[in-house]
Amino acid sequence: PLFNSYPRNSEKKKTALFSPLNVNVGIGMSYKLNKQFSNNKHRKINLSVDINPLSINYTYVEDGLVDETKFSVEKGKKAKTDYGSTINLNSDLYFNRYTRLVSRMKYFSNYEKVIGEFENTLNFELNKYLSTSINLNLRFDDGIPFKNKDEKWGYFQYNETLSFGLSYKW
């Protein structure tokens, strides 16, 4: 995160600048597919899959006002390192010249806990100058302490965004 975020009607920080900072590095293999469909020149798909059987997941929480236990870091510590395996999947699907679906899926496991993220963004170009996007982010992390588990969603977190913007292409 680049900016502070707060729970609704509260002044207690949820996130702050680079709190948390998550870094994942791994050794493995990658597969890429770039395909343009013959029946429509604007329809194409770009797919990338990375499988890392040896990976390191590093989480760092700098800001002391952010609750580090919500990010699987022990109380009173600033960082945590996990060793395990990671699978990353990225895809761009262009339906036509004006509509694009961008998806990202990440799965990390240290064989005791699982962190899964799934992001989808649907972009529309309304005309040459206006665009909009619909974004849905889902996250699952069963490494957080049981006391921090949400009563309704459990270990799941979600965020949805609708945005309108100005755009211009050369």
Side-chain angles (χ1 to χ4, degrees):
L2 296 177
F3 303 104
N4 297 342
S5 69
Y6 301 89
R8 210 176 281 160
N9 298 324
S10 174
E11 293 188 18
K12 186 175 180 178
K13 283 186 187 179
K14 237 169 49 171
T15 62
L17 178 66
F18 299 124
S19 291
L21 172 67
N22 293 310
V23 178
N24 184 284
V25 179
I27 297 173
M29 57 188 136
S30 180
Y31 172 77
K32 295 184 190 291
L33 171 71
N34 297 316
K35 180 179 180 181
Q36 186 158 359
F37 294 87
S38 58
N39 58 352
N40 184 344
K41 70 177 184 175
H42 298 291
R43 181 177 286 178
K44 62 182 176 179
I45 186 167
N46 299 326
L47 178 69
S48 170
V49 179
D50 299 322
I51 300 172
N52 301 315
L54 301 172
S55 69
I56 299 170
N57 197 39
Y58 178 75
T59 304
Y60 180 74
V61 180
E62 170 62 32
D63 195 321
L65 298 175
V66 173
D67 183 9
E68 63 274 5
T69 62
K70 294 206 182 260
F71 306 104
S72 302
V73 178
E74 291 180 29
K75 184 84 173 157
K77 295 193 176 184
K78 289 190 174 277
K80 181 174 184 175
T81 305
D82 287 318
Y83 302 95
S85 60
T86 303
I87 298 173
N88 290 310
L89 179 119
N90 296 302
S91 69
D92 284 345
L93 177 59
Y94 295 83
F95 295 104
N96 54 41
R97 185 184 314 185
Y98 308 106
T99 310
R100 174 181 171 203
L101 176 66
V102 179
S103 293
R104 181 185 77 84
M105 192 271 305
K106 176 184 173 186
Y107 174 86
F108 172 82
S109 176
N110 69 353
Y111 311 110
E112 293 176 5
K113 68 174 186 171
V114 171
I115 299 173
E117 297 175 355
F118 189 54
E119 297 179 8
N120 291 299
T121 304
L122 188 59
N123 297 312
F124 301 99
E125 288 185 29
L126 302 175
N127 59 31
K128 188 176 180 181
Y129 303 106
L130 297 174
S131 65
T132 186
S133 67
I134 300 169
N135 190 326
L136 174 65
N137 296 340
L138 299 171
R139 180 178 165 89
F140 177 84
D141 184 357
D142 65 352
I144 61 174
F146 186 76
K147 67 179 176 120
N148 290 337
K149 186 172 98 167
D150 187 85
E151 292 176 8
K152 181 178 178 184
W153 286 88
Y155 294 115
F156 282 97
Q157 302 169 16
Y158 72 95
N159 183 22
E160 69 275 344
T161 308
L162 172 66
S163 63
F164 295 97
L166 301 172
S167 64
Y168 183 76
K169 290 185 182 178
W170 292 99

